Amino acid sequence: WGNPLVLQVSRWDPLKDPSGVMRGFAELLGGPNHAGAELVLAGPSTEGVADDPEGASVLEGVIRDWQDLPESVRKRIHLASLPTDDVAENGAIVNALQRHATVVVQKSLHEGFGLTVTEAMWKGRPVVASAVGGIQDQIEDGVSGVLLEDPRDSSAFARALAGVLNDPQRARRLGEAGRER
């Protein structure tokens, strides 16, 4: 896979804003600075998560929103429903996605502590995330990642992605500082 990969790993939860991630990514693709990027939204298989009653309906909504996108955008956005019955297999898939990602995003509307943010930082990946909850304590904006002041602002999200995707030296510095932090 030679194209830059933008990745969000999260539950299929409206507070993780997967449809908002797609909208912002679509805006990125509409401009000149998309760097040929592709997006993967990865979440748990809804059949394997008993304690998330709204996960299936959120995933259905994300699929509908994806289907409403133009074909040129849809072919650059990949929805991945990850197996949960084997914890080691799930962990290996998430690890592989995070290690391959060019940028890891966590565009949550609300968040306690962003575990996927910490995992990405540990792996030296640049992170673009919402300035909400514990994520604000994890990332130093502009130093160890990029914080979005308003997670609902899809244009700001697209600009933040473009700023990391189109500046490999900045991406490397953010990833290294994130790992150190």
Side-chain angles (χ1 to χ4, degrees):
W1 191 331
N3 295 339
L5 175 63
V6 176
L7 171 70
Q8 179 162 303
V9 177
S10 64
R11 292 184 329 274
W12 301 110
D13 183 322
L15 295 179
K16 306 300 183 182
D17 199 21
S19 290
V21 173
M22 284 193 302
R23 280 190 302 278
F25 188 78
E27 277 193 49
L28 172 75
L29 293 180
N33 298 317
H34 59 75
E38 300 200 25
L39 170 66
V40 170
L41 289 174
S45 167
T46 58
E47 294 85 34
V49 182
D51 65 343
D52 188 7
E54 63 185 356
S57 64
V58 171
L59 177 56
E60 288 170 13
V62 170
I63 291 169
R64 279 192 306 275
D65 292 343
W66 175 81
Q67 290 170 333
D68 288 342
L69 294 168
E71 171 64 25
S72 61
V73 173
R74 258 195 335 265
K75 70 181 184 179
R76 301 189 80 82
I77 297 175
H78 313 280
L79 307 178
S81 187
L82 306 180
T84 57
D85 53 339
D86 183 333
V87 175
E89 178 185 31
N90 179 276
I93 293 168
V94 170
N95 182 49
L97 286 168
Q98 289 172 330
R99 289 193 181 276
H100 186 75
T102 307
V103 181
V104 174
V105 300
Q106 190 60 58
K107 203 181 83 52
S108 300
L109 303 177
H110 298 281
E111 189 70 61
F113 178 81
L115 179 59
T116 58
V117 168
T118 297
E119 290 172 342
M121 290 170 75
W122 174 250
K123 293 168 184 157
R125 294 295 174 246
V127 178
V128 173
S130 302
V132 297
I135 294 174
Q136 300 171 95
D137 298 325
Q138 293 169 268
I139 293 176
E140 296 170 282
D141 187 30
V143 177
S144 58
V146 177
L147 289 174
L148 303 168
E149 188 174 315
D150 179 0
R152 295 181 192 277
D153 185 342
S154 58
S155 295
F157 177 59
R159 286 190 305 275
L161 281 177
V164 176
L165 288 169
N166 291 296
D167 190 344
Q169 290 179 342
R170 179 179 183 223
R172 183 184 46 74
R173 284 192 310 272
L174 289 170
E176 288 172 358
R179 178 163 168 76
E180 183 63 29
R181 183 159 170 82

